[in-house]
């Protein structure tokens, strides 16, 4: 390599560091449109402005980038090299923008959702509907009993949670989701099946299959009996509503439970609702977030979605009249 060529390469490399995005875009527009007039229209600039950008870029490159022909302005070999640079720069900008959008939650991201175990009968359906609308957003679902989800709300790992009663010891923002009726169910053919107007006193000799202490359903049932100065016979404690349902169907006892967890079994006739005065006890489903929890756009979108459309995914249950 001659001293002159070496001097040129060092000079051009140093000069190209000063090129601008506008200059590269002017060259790309000219290549695509074939004329300065059309390029200026595409870029929203005046023709003199585009001409100036092209001249400055050519000066920085140190070689002719364009040649005029009967077919319009065409790129030289040097111009094609600079155009390839422009394409790589635009791709890098697009990738960076995509990453920033992901971090900001505009086009993707992750939502951390908690749900009490009773809510698992409808929350997945709501997630599926939300994911169809926002396919780039990942949902991470944590399921636990009321105490576990309440404990999780003390931290900031969860964006929000679906539960039946807001925790009293955390400042929260709440969206109401829908009604959550609680009933007492028994297996088909239970000896009290055809009785109406039952009272809790009629059930004191029945064996209740219940959730574990800390469950919201268990707490609600205990409060119901305490108000009547009664104490139920607890047969088995189970951490799963599914296990309770199967145990009731098997004839091991009866259960106080959310109607949403047994909607399918009631429809099929494998379980029946006992007609007990004061039931159903109707609570509400809520979507709850810490007041000081900053939600990124994906989490805010799902929080708003559940608050406005979440009730559409609650299971259909029989209408229980006032007993």
């Amino acid at each position: 390599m001659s001293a002159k060529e070496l001097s040129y390469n060092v000079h051009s490399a140093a000069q190209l560091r000063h090129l601008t995005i506008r200059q590269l875009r002017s060259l790309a527009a000219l290549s695509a449109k074939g004329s300065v007039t059309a390029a200026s229209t595409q870029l929203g600039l005046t023709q003199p402005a585009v001409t100036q950008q092209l001249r400055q870029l050519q000066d920085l490159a140190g070689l002719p980038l364009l040649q005029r022909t009967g077919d319009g302005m065409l790129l030289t070999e040097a111009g094609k090299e600079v155009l390839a640079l422009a394409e790589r720069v635009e791709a890098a900008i697009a990738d960076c923008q995509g990453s920033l959008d992901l971090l900001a939650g505009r086009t993707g991201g992750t939502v951390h959702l908690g749900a009490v175990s009773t809510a698992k009968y409808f929350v997945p359906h709501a997630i599926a509907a939300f994911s169809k609308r926002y396919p780039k957003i990942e949902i991470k679902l944590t399921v636990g009993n009321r105490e576990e989800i309440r404990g999780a709300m003390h931290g900031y790992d969860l964006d929000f949670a679906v539960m039946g009663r807001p925790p009293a010891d955390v400042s929260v923002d709440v969206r109401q989701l829908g009604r959550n009726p609680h009933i007492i169910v028994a297996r088909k053919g239970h000896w009290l099946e055809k009785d109406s107007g039952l009272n809790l006193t009629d059930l004191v000799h029945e064996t209740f299959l219940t959730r574990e202490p800390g469950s919201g359903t268990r707490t609600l049932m205990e409060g119901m009996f305490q108000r009547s100065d009664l104490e139920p016979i607890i047969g088995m404690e189970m951490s799963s509503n599914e296990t309770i349902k199967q145990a009731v169907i098997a004839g091991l006892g009866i259960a106080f439970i959310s109607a949403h967890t047994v909607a399918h079994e009631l429809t099929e006739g494998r379980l029946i609702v006992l007609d007990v005065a004061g039931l159903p006890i109707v609570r509400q489903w809520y979507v709850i977030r810490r007041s000081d929890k900053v939600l990124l756009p994906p989490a805010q979108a799902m929080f708003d979605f559940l608050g406005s459309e979440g009730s559409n995914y609650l299971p259909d249950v029989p209408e229980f009249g006032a007993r």
Side-chain angles (χ1 to χ4, degrees):
M1 179 180 291
S2 68
K4 182 177 180 181
E5 290 173 329
L6 179 60
S7 175
Y8 165 76
N9 288 335
V10 172
H11 168 78
S12 61
Q15 290 290 92
L16 280 176
R17 292 194 181 97
H18 301 293
L19 61 79
T20 67
I21 296 297
R22 177 169 288 187
Q23 292 165 357
L24 291 176
R25 286 176 174 167
S26 295
L27 183 69
L30 180 64
S31 175
K33 297 299 182 179
S35 72
V36 172
T37 301
S40 64
T41 300
Q42 177 179 309
L43 296 171
L45 300 173
T46 64
Q47 293 183 42
V50 172
T51 299
Q52 182 182 16
Q53 297 298 326
L54 293 170
R55 185 179 296 117
Q56 291 172 346
L57 180 60
Q58 185 163 273
D59 290 342
L60 292 173
L63 287 172
L65 303 180
L66 303 167
Q67 61 184 19
R68 188 179 302 276
T69 71
D71 296 325
M73 299 292 289
L74 297 180
L75 270 61
T76 64
E77 287 302 312
K80 292 176 182 178
E81 285 295 321
V82 177
L83 178 63
L85 171 63
E87 291 169 348
R88 292 196 298 272
V89 169
E90 291 289 3
I93 291 173
D95 288 343
C96 181
Q97 184 64 61
S99 297
L100 293 176
D101 285 344
L102 181 63
L103 290 172
R106 288 186 287 268
T107 59
T110 302
V111 177
H112 296 269
L113 167 63
V116 295
S117 52
T118 303
K120 69 183 180 183
Y121 293 92
F122 65 89
V123 166
H125 298 286
I127 291 175
F130 180 82
S131 295
K132 286 182 180 179
R133 194 173 300 179
Y134 301 98
K136 295 183 179 180
I137 296 177
E138 178 185 2
I139 310 298
K140 292 188 176 181
L141 175 62
T142 299
V143 177
N145 67 27
R146 172 180 164 75
E147 285 305 305
E148 290 168 338
I149 298 301
R150 188 183 70 84
M153 292 294 290
H154 279 250
Y156 292 87
D157 291 338
L158 294 181
D159 290 311
F160 49 85
V162 176
M163 58 196 310
R165 181 161 48 92
D169 54 351
V170 181
S171 177
V172 295
D173 292 333
V174 175
R175 299 282 181 88
Q176 187 168 308
L177 230 169
R179 299 171 71 252
N180 181 18
H182 288 71
I183 55 179
I184 294 177
V185 297
R187 67 177 177 85
K188 180 70 175 175
H190 189 277
W191 71 283
L192 293 175
E193 177 179 359
K194 296 182 180 180
D195 287 15
S196 60
L198 294 170
N199 291 300
L200 288 182
T201 53
D202 298 316
L203 304 179
V204 293
H205 300 296
E206 294 292 319
T207 299
F208 277 82
L209 309 175
T210 73
R211 291 289 305 277
E212 75 286 1
S215 158
T217 304
R218 173 70 175 266
T219 301
L220 188 59
M221 184 193 77
E222 290 175 342
M224 176 182 69
F225 277 96
Q226 288 170 3
R227 287 190 294 273
S228 298
D229 293 323
L230 298 172
E231 186 172 344
I233 297 173
I234 304 299
M236 285 189 285
E237 294 179 351
M238 306 174 188
S239 60
S240 164
N241 289 316
E242 287 298 317
T243 306
I244 290 177
K245 290 191 294 184
Q246 295 304 318
V248 173
I249 291 172
L252 295 179
I254 63 177
F256 177 83
I257 200 166
S258 167
H260 289 150
T261 68
V262 292
H264 187 60
E265 289 75 13
L266 292 176
T267 301
E268 290 186 338
R270 290 189 291 160
L271 291 175
I272 56 97
V273 181
L274 295 183
D275 183 4
V276 180
L279 296 182
I281 295 177
V282 179
R283 290 294 185 261
Q284 298 291 326
W285 286 116
Y286 298 101
V287 190
I288 298 167
R289 56 169 289 230
R290 286 188 62 124
S291 299
D292 58 352
K293 170 71 174 179
V294 177
L295 296 184
L296 289 177
Q300 187 65 57
M302 189 169 191
F303 186 75
D304 294 339
F305 172 83
L306 290 175
S308 61
E309 302 182 40
S311 60
N312 297 334
Y313 305 98
L314 294 175
D316 292 329
V317 297
E319 289 294 328
F320 305 105
R323 306 286 190 179

